[in-house]
Amino acid sequence: WAGCYMRRPCQLSADAPFRTGIRRCVTIGPVMKERQIIIDVLGELSRRLWINRAMREAAFVLCVILFCLACFELIEPALTAGIPLSGTVIRVALLAAFAAVAVEAVRRCARRVPARQAAAEADARAQLKDELKSAYWFLSELESSPFAQLQVQRAAATAAGLDLAVLAPRALPINAFTAGGLGLLLAALIWMPAKLSSSWNSSPATGAADHGE
């Protein structure tokens, strides 16, 4: 019964057109439905995995940029005091490095997560013992067998019961919080010198006023 769907089209007999046609094609509807269930679930899981990977890559790039800027804020006074043009050179180098890191992150994020990888991730996270991965392999084969159809049926039932929000939850990656901490550090490094500079500038004026009195 499985061979009629994969190997040859439905043929209607002249003697019993409806009866013979129904017998030979009775499994087309269920097989197509099970195939579509597996493809839809793997497609949604692939999209979720891709979004999570893109968020991790973006957070990593942000961490690198903020860390480099924080280090530059720390060493800039010493560098500019000795070599005046060193600050400009370092800024240009940092911009080039940031551009290269951003381009690499965009290139990595542009690659979608294939359905085969999504099936492997679902098997690993839900402890399915390669059930979805095997079913996806059977679906890609030109010829089928009763055993393959049974595996596809079981995998479709399993895939329909998966909670993708649990397998691939949409949450901020850990390095996003690291990027937030680095952002606060950079803001503090930028704000403190300006505050200290204004305090130092106001102190001589106050001292001169007191001396004049």
Side-chain angles (χ1 to χ4, degrees):
W1 55 271
C4 72
Y5 166 63
M6 301 299 296
R7 297 180 183 177
R8 58 185 177 183
C10 300
Q11 298 178 358
L12 301 180
S13 173
D15 299 332
F18 296 102
R19 185 181 305 171
T20 304
I22 292 175
R23 181 179 62 82
R24 292 187 179 183
C25 304
V26 69
T27 60
I28 288 182
V31 169
M32 290 297 293
K33 182 179 179 181
E34 292 155 359
R35 178 188 181 93
Q36 193 63 38
I37 288 174
I38 295 175
I39 292 176
D40 289 345
V41 170
L42 293 181
E44 177 63 19
L45 181 58
S46 173
R47 188 175 67 87
R48 284 176 169 269
L49 293 174
W50 175 75
I51 291 174
N52 290 342
R53 186 181 66 185
M55 291 175 63
R56 289 194 303 269
E57 293 291 339
F60 174 75
V61 171
L62 191 58
C63 284
V64 171
I65 292 175
L66 292 175
F67 178 77
C68 293
L69 290 176
C71 292
F72 177 72
E73 287 293 328
L74 289 173
I75 65 176
E76 182 185 15
L79 291 175
T80 54
I83 307 175
L85 294 178
S86 60
T88 303
V89 174
I90 294 178
R91 286 189 180 90
V92 173
L94 285 176
L95 288 176
F98 295 160
V101 172
V103 168
E104 176 63 19
V106 170
R107 187 186 67 84
R108 291 168 61 90
C109 292
R111 295 198 300 265
R112 307 288 295 188
V113 177
R116 188 180 302 275
Q117 182 181 347
E121 289 287 339
D123 288 334
R125 299 184 184 192
Q127 299 180 355
L128 300 179
K129 298 181 179 179
D130 293 341
E131 184 177 347
L132 289 180
K133 187 177 180 181
S134 301
Y136 184 79
W137 184 82
F138 286 133
L139 290 177
S140 63
E141 292 296 304
L142 295 178
E143 296 185 357
S144 183
S145 65
F147 174 76
Q149 292 297 331
L150 180 61
Q151 291 297 111
V152 170
Q153 289 176 359
R154 292 178 57 186
T158 302
L162 290 177
D163 189 355
L164 300 184
V166 175
L167 290 180
R170 294 176 181 175
L172 288 176
I174 297 177
N175 51 3
F177 299 99
T178 304
L182 289 172
L184 293 176
L185 175 62
L186 179 62
L189 291 175
I190 294 175
W191 175 78
M192 287 177 61
K195 188 68 175 179
L196 292 175
S197 177
S198 62
S199 299
W200 280 104
N201 291 334
S202 61
S203 295
T206 305
D210 295 338
H211 182 72
E213 293 177 357

